[in-house]
Amino acid sequence: MKIVMTGGGTGGHIYPALAIADKFVQKHPETEIIYIGSEDRLERDIVPKHGYKFESVDTMYLDRDNPLKLVKTAVSNMRGIRQAKKLLKKYKPDLVISTGGYISIPVVISASSMSIPIFIHEQNAFPGMANKFLEKYADKIFLGFNDARERFKNKDKLIYTGNPVRDDFYKIDKNSARKALGIDEGIFNIFIFGGSLGSKVINSIGIEIIKKFSQNENIHIMLGTGNDMYDEVIRTLRKEVGNLGKNINISAYINYIPNAISSADIVICRAGALSVAEITASGRPAIFIPSPNVTENHQYYNAKSVSDNGGAYLVEEDEMTAHRVIEKIEYLYKNPYELIDMREDSKHCSNQDATELIYKSITKELKNER
């Protein structure tokens, strides 16, 4: 079997695609995976390191407010469609699986014109523009959040599966994660991160949390700043806090995030679909601070889907965000039994069988078509 995977731009599109690809290879080791992405985005580095063949085509972000860029986008995507058709003719895949992002548009359109079965996975509670546009081309659309159902037109195509995440998030427990990181079992552990590139807002909140709790040796704080912001955060903390104790751990990049998440009593971060999926897979309570600067405010809906079910707090971004986050940390620190319920509720928001459901649904659909 040959499968073309497409989707990219962010880890939230790439890692679910890789998880799905891994499931097919696990079930059928002879499966050949070809990943079509963009030459200048994250997938260019991530996919080859994962061991899969990578090809690139042209595409361009749709800026609806700039008429000149609309023309450039159209030209780029037409070129991308020609390139994608050439690649599909070369590899002759049995199916195409898309996880969204603008790179998926020329690939899916090309596959449709060649009558190749198409399957789409939408990670967010509020679907992205690319997947909503490509709905008409798909045989089936898998949903990371059931809330996304109301925002697609063809309900017969929709299957709720949850978001695929790496098996590690289901296998690592709190105690083994803490042992790997050298954190005592009885310590209240807070993990704060803003992704590999970092988030200025999350880092500023992290600094305020460290200023508030750095003298409490019963609280351990891990802050992942992102590579580009590490030096600035360290300078600020040295100026405003002074020497940091052993209970404060600042890293530019989190090398193995399953341990970091699983070791935490509370996780504080944005609400990208991948982060939400990984946190709920680990059954960790969270304080989500959705980015207001994303398409259709989809992070808000991702966070809301968990907070509405008791597994997280949703704190919107404004001048009082850090204050409200600290209030919630203080409450949970003083009321640890609340965390027990939150852990259970967080876990219930995760579908541990996501990749298996996607695999079974695709293979069933292919058998029906044949």
Side-chain angles (χ1 to χ4, degrees), residues 341-360:
D341 291 336
M342 288 186 73
R343 285 196 291 268
E344 289 299 315
D345 292 336
S346 174
K347 197 76 172 179
H348 288 154
C349 292
S350 173
N351 190 339
Q352 297 191 24
D353 299 321
T355 50
E356 183 72 19
L357 285 171
I358 292 169
Y359 165 77
K360 287 181 177 178

Side-chain angles (χ1 to χ4, degrees), residues 14 59 111 141 157 159 193 195 210 213 226-227 241 244 246 264 286 314 321-322 331 334 338 345 349 364:
I14 301 164
T59 191
I141 300 172
K157 291 184 177 183
I159 301 174
F193 73 103
I210 291 170
F213 298 111
N227 292 322
V241 179
L244 299 176
K246 292 181 180 180
L314 191 166
T321 300
Y331 173 75
K334 293 173 183 176
E338 290 284 337
D345 292 336
C349 292
K364 179 181 178 181

